[in-house]
Amino acid sequence: MEIGKLTITGIQEALRARRVSARELAQEALRTAREENPKTNAYLLLAEERALRAAEAVDAALGRGQDPGPLAGVPVAVKDNIVTRGVRTTCGSRLLENFVPPYDATAVERLERAGAVVLGKTNCDEFAMGSSNENSAFGPVRNPAAPDRVPGGSSGGSAAAVAQGTAVAALGSDTGGSIRQPASFCGVVGLSPTYGRVSRYGLVAFASSLDRIGPLARNVRDAAAVLQAMAGRDERDSTSAFAPVPDYQAAMTGEARGLRVGVPLEYFEGLTQDTAAQMEKARALLASLGCELREISLPHTSYAIPCYYIVCTAEASSNLARYDGVRYTWRAPQAETLAEMYSLTRGQGFGAECKRRIMLGTYVLSAGYYDAYYLKAQKVRTLITRDFLAAFEQVDVIATPVSPFPAFRLGEKLDDPLQMYLSDIFTITASLAGLPGLSVPCGRTAEGLPVGLQLIGPHFGEPVLFRLGDAFERAGGASL
Amino acid sequence: MSTAAPRLATPEELELYEPVIGLEVHVQLGTRTKIFCGCPNEFGAAPNTNVCPVCLGMPGALPVLNRAAVELGIRAALALHCEVRRRSVFARKNYFYPDLPKGYQISQYDQPLAEHGWVEIQTPAGPKRIGVHRLHLEDDAGKSSHEGYRDSDRFSYVDLNRTGSPLAEIVSEPDLRSPDEAYEYLTELKLAMQFAGVSNCDMEKGNLRCDANVSVRRRGAAEFGTKVEIKNLNSFRFLRQALYFEIARQVALVESGGRVVQETRLYDPNLDETFSMRSKEEAHDYRYFPEPDLLPLEVGEAWLESIRSSMPAMPAELRRRFVSDYGLREYDAQVLTASRELADYFEGVVHACGDARAAANWVTGDLAALLNAQSLDIALCPVPPERLGELITLVQKGELTGKLAKEILPKMFESREGARAIMEREGLRALSDTGELERIIDQVIAANPKQLEQYRGGKTSVMQFFVGQVMKATRGQANPAAVSELLRRKL
């Protein structure tokens, strides 16, 4: 039994045939995670007790002849910015190094209700701000495919946990590409669902109008099964959608013939050579599946990065205000006055990237600048969304690279935030438009670095993404 | 800084200068639960017990708007004759303070719940409409205690029970021209909130809080002077005092060639003066932006109409009606609209007896005295309005005399019985049987020959003596008018 080779369907069959117990699976997953973790630093915490308890509940249900749920016994890792009751949740930040939430995120609650076994919490960029996982207060994560390289970010730990075979699936969060980009860097599948598809209750907010929880897995089917368990309206999140949740497995017919796939010209500029080469192969494979490839234009793409960094920093500056040293946060011990408590706690508690974004966000919301920056950015956001809506009148799916380049070396872009921000240039547009984006592996570079293909769908278009992603995967997309 | 300022502006000064005042009033809405979570919205619980991840601003927790808070907000808006916007937007107001757990208040900014209302107040020059600029919803902050603990020299204590209580902030136009007008406005606003069932407006519990913007200008000037915001006006008395002080301070400043500085001042009721809290330069930049965790608030026509149709008449309207329809005196109308319960009670009595003046006399007279004696609110009155109405009807029909009725009311109050039950048990009723009354009168006349002689000798004032004797003999059950009439015939 190798956790790294299991699929969700395989686990369901094995459990129900009593070839393995959920407890055995959990123990094996925990053992592997413990063993592998020093190589990657993917996990910040293993929740052994909770995992075993959940696994035993699955076994007990099976013993009583009850249905233990569609994710029964599936070992899942959870990004550490998603709260877990009684299990420390740090967001990769020193400020929350001792924060034990008294409540579960809705997504976690729903996964566990479906029988999933939460193994532990995965490393991430501090408050999900970063594209390399180097902004974690608890050390960077190494890419299992290339240990001297980053796994991408901010859900780097979740991507690495799945890639290294310690978890069958993982939860990540995506604000501007934080699931899709690490999935592509590590060679796994990652989905950023439509905004509102999965409840944000319990996802520690970075940029509330962009944040989403989504799955990372080793194949499209597993990602779809995890989404199936989490999706749907939640009364605790006013922005969660009422739209009914379709049957995602049924959408995966293995057929992609006739799908109109848009290829936006703007997304194929500035790629590294090897990424461009993989994209060429991906286009050819899509064509061979019977997809109709159409060149399209999304003219406002070039405004996406400034727009995104205004919207997300503005919201972040407000969302991060609560980490002030008063309640659950770490507090700077030297503080003598209220002003000092704030400035020392936040000055020492936040890492450089968080501080940079808090300052940017505070600036763009300030009196006299709001109209020029925040309001303007919201208008640009509308234009970007309209680009997509117009495109989806002609095509069913849009295919782009996930990132202009594959995983880079640890430290390589650390001193150049703008270079770092470019990692997300192809993912932030779908984020701004609230659209779902699926990252599927599409082969490796000559150096053996994974490359990802991004499939963007219309709002609530997850079924078509899964259908095409699954067909692409079955046709050998991962080994192009 | 302010020691040289006079305590009150002189009449001469006020002839030269006109104060311009606007009020910002926070009304705590009387919902069962908080505005964005399910915690109880109540006063007086042990510190930090009515809290949850949402109102504690814990990471990942999200607000969900309480429909009841919106409904009370709409009621408040309608009570102030505001236009309710079909769509309003919540916004974050960002600032740091230990009793503000999220680091921002969820309020409304450029698209408030309601706008363009008015409150009518009485002034010496007659009624005056004060504009209500806007009404918006927001969540309350917690409470910080900087004093009263053993280690208060080093620590402050924070109680977050109040965090997330629903508030309506009501901003007036700068239409008020004196501290007395401000006092009237706040009084009328409070009454309107109580009538509409929006809030108890108990100032001691912080249900009603008030800040004022004050400036002075030379009478006749077109432009407003520089305004100063005064905070901490948490009683009607403080509001008036602080305004009197602040106007005098500003007038003295301008008179002596100085200039008013835009700033926020705090009123200190102990010293009865205001002192500077922060200057314009130190003012917060709240960095408002739309709250991404909440959808815009849409108020549908049907909902608005159903709330509108459930609104009671407002006090000013009731007073007008009491005077025009019932012929009450202004004063009585004022007294009877002091609370919605009292007005409802009064109308209940009128409905039962059909005599508004008698009803007003009873309610403001004997009933009020009984309630006062026991410190009871009208809402807890043991005599329901129908029964008081019945009592009045019995007097109208001559079955009871006024005197008897006044004896019976306290008994009704005590025993919670109807007038008839008491009359029967105690054998109390007006003597309408002239035969019996005549017999008693004959006895009285026979027993007092000397007085009879005096009367017949032309001393008609002795009549009063006979009336008194008859009343005494009948234990007040006789109708005095009927007694006089019979006596006149017999004497």
Side-chain angles (χ1 to χ4, degrees):
Chain A
M1 180 175 61
E2 239 180 280
I3 301 294
K5 297 222 165 104
L6 297 175
T7 63
I8 292 178
T9 319
I11 290 172
Q12 300 316 301
E13 284 167 10
L15 279 178
R16 282 164 177 82
R18 304 294 164 88
R19 287 198 301 273
V20 69
S21 73
R23 191 185 159 83
E24 286 165 343
L25 269 176
Q27 280 174 324
E28 176 60 13
L30 288 166
R31 188 190 65 74
T32 320
R34 239 188 332 265
E35 215 171 85
E36 295 289 314
N37 206 44
K39 296 180 200 160
T40 59
N41 198 26
Y43 291 89
L44 293 177
L45 177 144
L46 287 174
E48 288 197 29
E49 204 184 309
R50 179 173 178 145
L52 292 176
R53 222 175 333 126
E56 282 158 11
V58 167
D59 289 333
L62 281 167
R64 288 192 300 268
Q66 290 167 342
D67 179 7
L71 299 182
V74 176
V76 174
V78 174
K79 186 178 181 180
D80 210 23
N81 65 344
I82 299 172
V83 301
T84 39
R85 183 181 186 150
V87 175
R88 195 188 64 197
T89 300
T90 68
C91 298
S93 177
R94 186 182 180 192
L95 284 162
L96 292 178
E97 64 182 344
N98 293 312
F99 176 57
V100 179
Y103 53 106
D104 273 322
T106 299
V108 170
E109 207 174 84
R110 291 185 179 179
L111 285 194
E112 289 193 325
R113 211 186 305 145
V117 173
V118 173
L119 293 176
K121 306 299 292 285
T122 54
N123 206 340
C124 57
D125 286 300
E126 185 176 14
F127 290 106
M129 295 177 186
S131 306
S132 68
N133 215 118
E134 292 167 296
N135 298 332
S136 167
F138 307 107
V141 174
R142 289 175 182 276
N143 190 326
D148 60 334
R149 294 189 183 249
V150 303
S154 63
S155 309
S158 289
V162 173
Q164 75 185 358
T166 56
V168 171
L171 293 191
S173 72
D174 192 311
T175 303
S178 278
I179 288 175
R180 291 162 287 167
Q181 185 254 23
S184 80
F185 278 20
C186 292
V188 300
V189 172
L191 173 76
S192 173
T194 306
Y195 184 81
R197 181 71 295 181
V198 176
S199 168
R200 288 186 296 118
Y201 188 83
L203 169 62
V204 178
F206 153 20
S208 314
S209 73
L210 297 157
D211 293 343
R212 303 155 206 197
I213 291 177
L216 295 103
R218 274 188 298 274
N219 60 59
V220 174
R221 268 186 188 279
D222 285 359
V226 174
L227 180 67
Q228 192 88 53
M230 299 190 288
R233 171 72 185 171
D234 176 16
E235 291 300 327
R236 291 180 292 187
D237 175 5
S238 311
T239 63
S240 74
F242 285 95
V245 181
D247 181 346
Y248 296 129
Q249 299 298 324
M252 290 177 278
T253 55
E255 257 297 316
R257 189 161 302 279
L259 280 180
R260 298 166 300 167
V261 177
V263 182
L265 303 169
E266 295 85 354
Y267 287 66
F268 291 82
E269 289 164 17
L271 308 185
T272 57
Q273 254 182 0
D274 40 11
T275 301
Q278 291 310 115
M279 284 303 118
E280 265 318 302
K281 293 184 208 166
R283 283 163 82 151
L285 183 60
L286 287 170
S288 78
L289 285 168
C291 293
E292 184 193 324
L293 296 182
R294 289 191 187 180
E295 290 201 341
I296 58 166
S297 174
L298 299 166
H300 293 95
T301 302
S302 59
Y303 302 106
I305 286 223
C307 172
Y308 173 80
Y309 279 97
I310 287 168
V311 174
C312 84
T313 58
E315 293 181 12
S317 71
S318 174
N319 282 328
L320 299 189
R322 63 187 64 190
Y323 309 110
D324 55 6
V326 176
R327 294 162 309 275
Y328 39 77
T329 28
W330 172 82
R331 182 190 295 177
Q334 318 90 308
E336 296 281 344
T337 64
L338 181 60
E340 275 178 23
M341 183 178 74
Y342 287 147
S343 60
L344 295 177
T345 297
R346 291 168 66 79
Q348 297 169 18
F350 282 122
E353 185 61 29
C354 285
K355 283 191 254 188
R356 180 156 39 233
R357 297 196 191 190
I358 289 169
M359 284 190 282
L360 272 172
T362 303
Y363 177 76
V364 300
L365 289 177
S366 295
Y369 298 99
Y370 179 88
D371 289 1
Y373 292 109
Y374 189 79
L375 205 60
K376 181 70 76 54
Q378 290 297 355
K379 290 176 181 165
V380 172
R381 192 173 178 180
T382 305
L383 293 176
I384 289 171
T385 307
R386 282 192 196 147
D387 278 358
F388 277 109
L389 295 182
F392 282 121
E393 285 177 9
Q394 304 169 41
V395 299
D396 301 305
V397 180
I398 293 169
T400 77
V402 174
S403 174
F405 39 75
F408 44 89
R409 289 195 166 75
L410 283 158
E412 189 182 321
K413 296 185 195 293
L414 215 45
D415 298 326
D416 191 346
L418 286 181
Q419 267 300 310
M420 189 74 92
Y421 293 172
L422 283 178
S423 301
D424 297 327
I425 189 164
F426 300 140
T427 46
I428 54 178
T429 45
S431 297
L432 287 166
L435 299 168
L438 180 69
S439 170
V440 289
C442 78
R444 297 192 176 221
T445 65
E447 287 173 283
L449 300 174
V451 174
L453 172 72
Q454 175 178 231
L455 301 175
I456 300 169
H459 291 117
F460 301 102
E462 285 84 359
V464 72
L465 296 186
F466 289 142
R467 177 180 163 201
L468 182 55
D470 173 60
F472 184 81
E473 183 180 86
R474 287 184 197 211
S479 43
L480 281 175
Chain B
M1 98 208 122
S2 55
T3 43
R7 291 182 63 81
L8 286 178
T10 62
E12 295 74 37
E13 284 171 331
L14 288 178
E15 245 172 63
L16 274 177
Y17 290 92
E18 178 183 50
V20 174
I21 303 164
L23 296 189
E24 289 174 16
V25 178
H26 285 89
V27 175
Q28 191 181 52
L29 306 174
T31 52
R32 195 173 53 78
T33 56
K34 294 184 180 181
I35 185 166
F36 297 124
C37 66
C39 290
N41 175 33
E42 62 180 23
F43 179 83
N48 297 309
T49 53
N50 287 339
V51 291
C52 73
V54 176
C55 58
L56 287 176
M58 295 194 108
L62 295 171
V64 176
L65 182 59
N66 178 353
R67 186 184 170 93
V70 180
E71 176 153 353
L72 289 188
I74 293 173
R75 292 183 76 84
L78 295 177
L80 303 175
H81 314 94
C82 288
E83 292 165 25
V84 176
R85 294 175 60 108
R86 289 288 169 280
R87 178 190 162 100
S88 60
V89 173
F90 285 95
R92 291 190 186 174
K93 178 180 179 179
N94 296 284
Y95 66 95
F96 284 97
Y97 205 68
D99 59 24
L100 187 72
K102 300 188 296 299
Y104 54 84
Q105 185 182 22
I106 302 179
S107 182
Q108 296 183 307
Y109 185 52
D110 54 353
Q111 300 179 62
L113 178 66
E115 335 167 85
H116 314 310
W118 49 267
V119 169
E120 188 179 292
I121 63 168
Q122 300 301 321
T123 73
K128 175 176 174 183
R129 274 190 186 185
I130 306 302
V132 171
H133 178 63
R134 56 184 276 154
L135 179 151
H136 67 253
L137 298 175
E138 59 188 24
D139 61 354
D140 206 348
K143 228 173 86 180
S144 298
S145 305
H146 308 294
E147 285 165 18
Y149 294 90
R150 248 186 314 161
D151 46 4
S152 284
D153 56 326
R154 290 181 303 134
F155 292 103
S156 291
Y157 284 78
V158 176
D159 176 6
L160 297 176
N161 281 348
R162 203 180 67 184
T163 310
S165 273
L167 298 177
E169 179 174 333
I170 298 159
V171 182
S172 85
E173 297 290 356
D175 290 347
L176 300 160
R177 292 292 176 268
S178 71
D180 290 344
E181 286 191 11
Y183 186 95
E184 276 295 311
Y185 168 82
L186 190 62
T187 307
E188 207 55 41
L189 187 148
K190 175 181 169 182
L191 209 52
M193 293 302 103
Q194 290 172 330
F195 265 68
V198 167
S199 172
N200 291 332
C201 294
D202 188 337
M203 279 189 129
E204 281 176 13
K205 292 180 181 170
N207 291 164
L208 188 68
R209 285 169 254 159
C210 181
D211 302 332
N213 286 303
V214 194
S215 63
V216 296
R217 62 174 168 187
R218 284 219 160 237
R219 290 201 181 267
E223 303 281 310
F224 288 152
T226 305
K227 73 175 178 184
V228 165
E229 186 183 12
I230 316 176
K231 289 198 170 286
N232 200 26
L233 303 175
N234 293 333
S235 84
F236 282 79
R237 203 163 52 91
F238 292 172
L239 167 68
R240 188 145 55 181
Q241 284 175 357
L243 289 175
Y244 273 124
F245 171 83
E246 180 59 22
I247 290 162
R249 188 188 72 86
Q250 292 188 16
V251 169
L253 202 57
V254 177
E255 277 290 273
S256 64
R259 286 178 58 178
V260 175
V261 186
Q262 188 176 337
E263 61 183 345
T264 301
R265 298 176 74 88
L266 212 58
Y267 176 64
D268 183 336
N270 297 318
L271 299 174
D272 189 19
E273 61 180 37
T274 63
F275 60 90
S276 184
M277 191 168 117
R278 56 175 177 254
S279 69
K280 186 186 174 190
E281 288 70 31
E282 297 165 300
H284 288 129
D285 177 355
Y286 291 119
R287 293 172 280 121
Y288 281 100
F289 73 103
E291 164 60 287
D293 288 333
L294 292 168
L295 304 177
L297 170 60
E298 310 264 355
V299 176
E301 190 62 40
W303 192 30
L304 186 58
E305 272 321 303
S306 82
I307 296 172
R308 200 190 297 277
S309 65
S310 73
M311 290 292 289
M314 285 297 115
E317 189 188 321
L318 274 184
R319 281 195 289 269
R320 237 186 319 273
R321 217 174 69 208
F322 285 1
V323 171
S324 65
D325 297 6
Y326 295 157
L328 298 192
R329 289 176 302 157
E330 283 283 351
Y331 177 79
D332 285 335
Q334 185 86 32
V335 171
L336 288 167
T337 51
S339 77
R340 182 173 161 190
E341 288 77 13
L342 184 60
D344 284 349
Y345 187 97
F346 165 70
E347 294 219 86
V349 178
V350 176
H351 188 73
C353 73
D355 183 343
R357 286 199 193 192
N361 287 337
W362 278 97
V363 173
T364 60
D366 287 63
L367 187 76
L370 286 166
L371 290 166
N372 279 341
Q374 297 195 19
S375 306
L376 272 184
D377 191 271
I378 186 74
L380 299 171
C381 179
V383 178
E386 305 74 42
R387 288 203 165 155
L388 180 54
E390 187 193 10
L391 186 71
I392 295 169
T393 309
L394 288 168
V395 176
Q396 287 165 344
K397 290 200 286 197
E399 290 188 46
L400 279 178
T401 62
K403 186 165 183 296
L404 274 178
K406 279 173 185 291
E407 277 175 36
I408 287 174
L409 184 62
K411 294 178 177 163
M412 292 166 66
F413 205 87
E414 231 24 77
S415 68
R416 295 172 183 259
E417 290 171 301
R420 279 196 188 283
I422 294 169
M423 286 164 67
E424 269 164 38
R425 192 178 59 238
E426 308 206 357
L428 297 172
R429 60 184 177 81
L431 271 179
S432 50
D433 178 347
T434 42
E436 194 184 341
L437 190 54
E438 276 184 60
R439 213 162 32 249
I440 293 170
I441 287 173
D442 290 342
Q443 283 167 12
V444 168
I445 292 172
N448 298 285
K450 211 161 88 194
Q451 284 79 359
L452 180 65
E453 212 168 296
Q454 287 174 350
Y455 181 84
R456 289 192 172 149
K459 198 174 174 193
T460 49
S461 59
V462 183
M463 175 65 118
Q464 280 315 4
F465 166 80
F466 281 108
V467 173
Q469 289 299 308
V470 175
M471 293 309 287
K472 197 171 154 191
T474 60
R475 288 161 52 221
Q477 295 178 29
N479 181 337
V483 171
S484 301
E485 179 57 34
L486 281 171
L487 273 170
R488 230 187 313 279
R489 268 195 275 141
K490 288 186 184 282
L491 287 174

